[in-house]
Amino acid sequence: MDVIKTQQVSARSIEKVIVHPLVLLSIVDHYNRVARDTKKRVVGVLLGSSFRGTVDVTNSYAVPFEEDDKDPSIWFLDHNYHEAMFSMFRRINAKEHVVGWYSTGPKLRENDLNVHGLFNDYVPNPVLVIIDVQPKEMGIPTKAYYAVEEVKENATQKSQKVFVHVPSEIAAHEVEEIGVEHLLRDVKDTTISTLATEVTGKLAALKGLDARLQEIRGYLDLVIDGKLPLNHEILCHLQDVFNLLPNLNVTELIKAFAVKTNDMMLVIYLSSLIRSVIALHNLINNKMLNKEHEKVEDSKPVAVPAAAS
């Protein structure tokens, strides 16, 4: 089967989307108030600024949204509410403007392109940020997209809009970092030791890495089977990843790993010995104090009751 070559046309390409913690907290609060324990999703507007291909999302607000589960073409977004809210937000911060919209997906849906077209009336090139409010894997819970027009080179079909993935990251100003630290300080469980927390974090990171490797393997299998077209950009990124992997067959590297591991194990072993000695010392001191208290109690004179006349 011949693969039809396509060409993507975009007025201005978006290179990166930056999402601030305040936006994530607002979206999670919106989801918990409206669609918690349901299969529905929530939709809202993203505010911020864009400069040289970088979209900085600094604020957001919820918008009433309804859609038919059976017929994706039936949906309603209250744009009058959106315009009223945006006019009030502009009074607070005139520098923020509409940069796109968000959805709690957790994946793209059929009517997303139609909703995306509505926001073209407010911003020339809006972005769609999908927030996974219930992530099952470690990693950034955001996925950003923008729409481009796909044109068939053989001109047998009409051009159509398609979503293109764009890298996203989480960033914060200094004030936001302080607020997030205080929030995490309240959420942190003080009963869990630091070592257990670090081990849990390492395990979660390894699980996330395993999930990404499985995803890469699934993509390569689909390419080999001919179910997906060959994407040279993705293969170049994979080749860069493999080139960055260290060569573990070098004798000096193996020796360095062994020495480092032995040093760490020695510190752990000494720490265990010191902890055991201190515990034994405290136990002996406790026994000695108990014996001294018993001697003091035994040395006290016992009052003899007077005999009855």
Side-chain angles (χ1 to χ4, degrees):
M1 183 179 66
D2 296 334
V3 179
I4 300 176
K5 296 183 179 180
T6 61
Q7 184 178 5
Q8 295 176 349
V9 180
S10 178
R12 180 185 298 175
S13 61
I14 298 175
E15 298 176 358
K16 183 173 62 174
V17 176
I18 301 174
V19 183
H20 287 248
L22 178 63
V23 178
L24 297 177
L25 293 174
S26 177
I27 295 173
V28 171
D29 177 70
H30 182 199
Y31 177 81
N32 289 331
R33 288 186 288 104
V34 177
R36 188 176 183 178
D37 298 329
T38 63
K39 295 183 179 180
K40 295 182 179 180
R41 63 170 175 169
V42 295
V43 170
V45 179
L46 298 175
L47 303 177
S49 60
S50 58
F51 181 71
R52 293 184 179 180
T54 300
V55 178
D56 192 13
V57 182
T58 57
N59 209 341
S60 66
Y61 57 84
V63 174
F65 178 79
E66 295 291 339
E67 60 183 340
D68 191 351
D69 297 334
K70 298 181 180 179
D71 190 357
S73 63
I74 301 175
W75 55 274
F76 168 75
L77 189 143
D78 195 346
H79 59 277
N80 293 325
Y81 177 88
H82 152 59
E83 293 174 357
M85 286 291 294
F86 180 60
S87 64
M88 289 187 287
F89 268 87
R90 288 199 65 179
R91 296 176 185 175
I92 301 173
N93 191 351
K95 295 182 180 179
E96 291 181 346
H97 61 270
V98 177
V99 295
W101 61 291
Y102 69 81
S103 168
T104 57
K107 296 181 180 180
L108 288 172
R109 301 197 182 186
E110 295 182 14
N111 54 3
D112 283 346
L113 278 173
N114 298 328
V115 180
H116 198 80
L118 178 65
F119 284 90
N120 285 325
D121 299 335
Y122 305 100
V123 57
N125 195 9
V127 296
L128 164 61
V129 179
I130 296 181
I131 310 294
D132 190 0
V133 294
Q134 295 177 339
K136 298 180 181 178
E137 300 175 359
M138 289 292 295
I140 299 177
T142 60
K143 292 182 180 180
Y145 303 90
Y146 70 97
V148 298
E149 191 169 355
E150 190 177 61
V151 181
K152 307 293 183 181
E153 288 189 359
N154 54 5
T156 56
Q157 299 178 4
K158 294 182 179 179
S159 62
Q160 60 180 359
K161 290 279 188 178
V162 295
F163 279 121
V164 176
H165 181 266
V166 59
S168 61
E169 64 181 40
I170 309 297
H173 299 304
E174 184 177 358
V175 178
E176 291 177 316
E177 291 179 358
I178 296 173
V180 171
E181 288 178 0
H182 280 283
L183 180 63
L184 294 177
R185 189 179 303 171
D186 296 335
V187 175
K188 183 179 179 181
D189 190 358
T190 57
T191 60
I192 302 177
S193 63
T194 306
L195 180 60
T197 306
E198 292 182 357
V199 171
T200 304
K202 296 288 186 182
L203 181 60
L206 290 175
K207 288 183 178 179
L209 177 61
D210 180 69
R212 298 294 183 273
L213 293 176
Q214 294 293 338
E215 185 177 357
I216 293 174
R217 180 179 179 180
Y219 168 76
L220 294 177
D221 290 338
L222 292 175
V223 172
I224 293 173
D225 296 338
K227 297 179 180 179
L228 284 179
L230 186 64
N231 191 319
H232 296 285
E233 184 178 359
I234 295 177
L235 294 181
C236 287
H237 287 308
L238 291 177
Q239 188 62 49
D240 292 337
V241 171
F242 294 139
N243 291 337
L244 292 173
L245 291 175
N247 185 8
L248 298 179
N249 296 324
V250 180
T251 307
E252 290 78 4
L253 184 61
I254 297 174
K255 184 178 179 180
F257 272 116
V259 171
K260 184 68 174 178
T261 303
N262 291 335
D263 292 342
M264 293 180 63
M265 295 302 295
L266 177 61
V267 173
I268 295 174
Y269 178 69
L270 290 176
S271 301
S272 300
L273 285 178
I274 294 172
R275 185 183 301 175
S276 301
V277 171
I278 291 174
L280 183 60
H281 179 72
N282 292 334
L283 178 62
I284 294 173
N285 287 339
N286 191 20
K287 290 286 187 181
M288 293 175 64
L289 288 175
N290 289 335
K291 286 184 178 181
E292 289 180 0
H293 285 301
E294 290 177 358
K295 289 180 180 180
V296 171
E297 292 293 333
D298 293 340
S299 62
K300 289 182 179 180
V302 179
V304 180
S309 56

